[in-house]
Amino acid sequence: MHLVRVDGNERFDLTPGRTYVVGRGAASDIALYDPTISRRHAELSVREDGATITDCESSNGTFVNGERIHQSKLAPGDAVCFGKVVCQLRAEDTPGAEPAGGGAVPAPGGTIVRQVAVHGGVATGLPDLEEGPSGPGLLRVEGKTDEERLAKKMALLLGVSQKLASEFEPANLLESVVDMTFEVMNVDRVSVLLSDPSTGELVPRVSKSRLGDGKLRHVPRSIAQKAVQERVAIMTDNAAADTRFQGQSVLMQSVRSAMCTPLMASADEVLGILYVDSLTATAAFSDEDLQFLIGFSGIAAATLHRLRDAERVRHEALVRSNFERYFAPNVAAEIAEQQEGAGPGGEKRPITILFSDIRGFTTMSESMTPDAIAQLLSEYFTEMVEVIFEHGGTLDKFVGDAILALWGAPIARDDDADSAMRAARAMQSSIEALNAKWAAAGRPTIGVGIGINYGEVFAGNIGSQRRLEYTVIGDAVNVASRLCTQAGAGEVLLTEPFYQRLTTSPEVERIDAMPLKGRAQPIAIYRVK
């Protein structure tokens, strides 16, 4: 049974019991390259006596004998129209069912001449392959003896390795791989497809033809899938007649001879494939061609893997360096491993918020030079940030001489409240040490008040696409800020919700009903003794 385009350009053999995807995409079983065809246009389920056609919500619809359908049974002789492409289901060959060019479908007999397992870019067993039909070869290497040809091939591979090693961008590397393939092999088309990390699908990246038409050509799906799934390099003679390559893209593209090898980063990781073919001659390739292509692809895969690793390391280093401005180094490393890319957005979550502020700093700074103010704040902030990071906190921001620190965002831990409490006491101790050093040097000393609250906030990346800032927003933040303003020099004030979160409570003094600016009702707080 066959599905035949009425214009006589294509014929698709149908096997009972199979379901075929009809569409414009490279992954389609029946590929119809027409702008009115959707990428996944319809499904054709074949039976012994006919078929069932189901439209896949295509843009331009599927029609059977002139009527638009969602699903319909087909019998031999029925006309089915995908978009504007009209086909007919036929039970046997007719002159109208001939393939492109008007010739008959090639007779069975096409074979996989060589199929070689590839591990990490290295082929195993190639010298021991059984003899089989093989063409004269398309490798551009001349030599009177085997030793001379071997030496030239090794020199050629060395040149390839040096050339590819000079590339530092993956896109440029792939272009070089394709261009160099044309330089060393007399092939008609070269394509590189890379595996999508999220879906595993092969995506065309670079494809060129010796004709120079610049079109992104599709690699026969059946050949590509076999190379990736079985980790084998393939050399095929008369691919259009090979029963293992049933994909009609082979026939449609007039592929006669082809080679395809996986790009292996390791024994378990396939980065993609390198594919070459000849449109004019069967038995075009030789064992030597396949062997060289495997070696060449191994160099290309290793280089691509190196570039990807280098890019990942650079990205992680950049992300980590940015995060280490706000998070403890161990927290920054954990976030960097999880981070796929920062974009606007966030979530509501309960966290601990700590505000600290230098008491009377504005008045004190009026008698200081700008350099002295900058030096004091730099030393103060450096000491406070170290304490915050030491206790697993997140530095949200500096607001003048105030500090906003968080526990529970972006990563929450069970002991966040206790860590914040320990950090507050350590901050006051560090300030005492700083004051002693400054007083001995004749410099002014400071007093710092600290307020800590616990509550639900919105935490996430706030800002525009040009500049984002990880921060928290909510009433719990406002309460912590206002509590900080009520704390005297050397004091730490806690709200009731935060105090209840502590598993190890410090010695405190309860202060009932302290009014806070902006709140209608006073709240109960605790002063750490």
Side-chain angles (χ1 to χ4, degrees):
M1 190 172 298
H2 316 287
L3 185 68
V4 182
R5 286 185 64 156
V6 297
D7 57 13
N9 286 336
E10 290 170 307
R11 186 191 76 175
F12 305 94
D13 297 331
L14 305 176
T15 302
R18 281 196 60 186
T19 296
Y20 297 83
V21 174
V22 181
R24 184 164 48 87
S28 301
D29 300 302
I30 298 177
L32 301 174
Y33 292 93
D34 186 275
T36 64
I37 304 293
S38 298
R39 294 184 63 82
R40 186 183 178 89
H41 197 100
E43 289 185 352
L44 187 66
S45 299
V46 183
R47 308 185 308 273
E48 289 289 346
D49 59 341
T52 299
I53 187 76
T54 303
D55 183 79
C56 297
E57 299 183 358
S58 61
S59 300
N60 295 303
T62 302
F63 301 79
V64 174
N65 298 325
E67 293 185 5
R68 186 164 186 165
I69 57 93
H70 170 65
Q71 187 177 75
S72 176
K73 291 183 177 181
L74 293 178
D78 284 346
V80 56
C81 183
F82 307 96
K84 293 184 178 180
V85 177
V86 182
C87 300
Q88 186 180 38
L89 187 68
R90 294 180 178 172
E92 58 185 33
D93 291 342
T94 67
E98 292 174 353
V105 177
T111 60
I112 293 178
V113 177
R114 291 290 182 259
Q115 175 176 305
V116 183
V118 179
H119 300 288
V122 178
T124 59
L126 190 58
D128 300 323
L129 289 173
E130 297 178 1
E131 292 298 323
S134 182
L138 300 180
L139 187 63
R140 299 178 187 273
V141 176
E142 297 181 357
K144 297 180 180 179
T145 64
D146 291 342
E147 290 76 11
E148 185 179 352
R149 287 183 63 81
L150 178 60
K152 289 188 175 182
K153 284 190 292 182
M154 295 301 293
L156 193 58
L157 283 175
L158 178 60
V160 167
S161 179
Q162 292 172 338
K163 170 64 176 176
L164 296 186
S166 66
E167 298 291 355
F168 296 97
E169 295 294 334
N172 295 340
L173 171 68
L174 299 183
E175 289 281 351
S176 294
V177 167
V178 171
D179 292 341
M180 295 191 74
T181 305
F182 278 121
E183 289 179 17
V184 301
M185 304 191 81
N186 187 27
V187 295
D188 292 321
R189 300 189 302 185
V190 181
S191 294
V192 176
L193 286 74
L194 296 184
S195 178
D196 186 316
S198 58
T199 64
E201 293 185 2
L202 289 172
V203 180
R205 294 302 186 191
V206 183
S207 183
K208 293 184 180 180
S209 167
R210 192 171 296 282
L211 300 177
D213 54 17
K215 292 182 179 179
L216 191 62
R217 297 180 178 273
H218 296 291
V219 171
R221 177 168 167 250
S222 49
I223 296 177
Q225 285 181 333
K226 183 177 182 65
V228 171
Q229 292 172 0
E230 299 182 23
R231 270 56 166 180
V232 294
I234 299 167
M235 179 169 66
T236 179
D237 169 24
N238 196 9
D242 196 320
T243 57
R244 279 158 290 205
F245 298 146
Q246 296 296 329
Q248 295 300 323
S249 57
V250 175
L251 180 62
M252 181 185 68
Q253 297 184 55
S254 303
V255 176
R256 291 295 175 256
S257 298
M259 293 193 300
C260 182
T261 180
L263 297 172
M264 302 288 294
S266 65
D268 300 321
E269 183 181 4
V270 180
L271 301 179
I273 63 166
L274 174 60
Y275 170 89
V276 301
D277 66 22
S278 171
L279 307 181
T280 56
T282 60
F285 297 112
S286 68
D287 290 349
E288 183 181 49
D289 295 333
L290 183 62
Q291 187 179 41
F292 189 89
L293 189 70
I294 292 171
F296 178 63
S297 67
I299 296 172
T303 308
L304 179 60
H305 190 254
R306 174 180 59 80
L307 291 183
R308 286 184 169 182
D309 276 350
E311 181 64 26
R312 177 180 55 80
V313 169
R314 285 196 298 268
H315 173 73
E316 289 183 357
L318 177 62
V319 171
R320 187 173 298 157
S321 66
N322 288 332
F323 282 144
E324 284 179 352
R325 297 166 56 196
Y326 304 100
F327 308 111
N330 61 322
V331 177
E334 186 175 348
I335 297 171
E337 291 176 359
Q338 301 173 359
Q339 193 78 0
E340 293 296 330
E347 61 179 347
K348 285 188 175 182
R349 61 193 305 168
I351 67 167
T352 295
I353 309 106
L354 180 151
F355 262 99
S356 71
D357 192 21
I358 300 176
R359 299 278 78 95
F361 182 75
T362 302
T363 302
M364 181 180 67
S365 63
E366 290 175 353
S367 60
M368 300 171 65
T369 65
D371 288 345
I373 295 173
Q375 182 181 1
L376 182 147
L377 286 178
S378 178
E379 292 181 29
Y380 165 68
F381 285 147
T382 298
E383 191 69 24
M384 295 301 99
V385 169
E386 287 300 320
V387 172
I388 291 168
F389 285 174
E390 182 182 344
H391 291 84
T394 296
L395 174 64
D396 185 296
K397 62 171 66 72
F398 301 128
V399 185
D401 60 295
I403 298 174
L404 170 57
L406 316 171
W407 279 259
I411 296 175
R413 293 183 171 85
D414 294 337
D415 63 344
D416 281 334
D418 293 297
S419 295
M421 187 68 253
R422 288 191 293 268
R425 303 183 75 168
M427 289 169 71
Q428 294 292 16
S429 297
S430 296
I431 291 164
E432 290 180 5
L434 276 176
N435 281 335
K437 183 178 72 171
W438 290 342
R443 297 168 59 187
T445 60
I446 61 174
V448 174
I450 296 176
I452 312 178
N453 186 30
Y454 174 85
E456 187 176 76
V457 300
F458 173 85
N461 293 309
I462 307 299
S464 68
Q465 291 290 353
R466 293 178 63 87
R467 186 180 188 278
L468 293 174
E469 180 181 73
Y470 187 87
T471 190
V472 292
I473 299 173
D475 184 62
V477 181
N478 298 333
V479 170
S481 175
R482 290 160 186 160
L483 187 63
C484 177
T485 63
Q486 297 294 323
E491 285 189 343
V492 179
L493 299 183
L494 320 176
T495 63
E496 179 76 29
F498 173 74
Y499 183 72
Q500 296 299 327
R501 295 287 301 178
L502 295 172
T503 58
T504 303
S505 299
E507 187 178 355
V508 297
E509 173 189 357
R510 183 183 175 93
I511 303 175
D512 291 326
M514 174 180 282
L516 295 179
K517 182 180 177 181
R519 297 190 68 83
Q521 299 295 328
I523 64 172
I525 63 174
Y526 297 86
R527 178 186 290 116
V528 178
K529 291 186 178 180

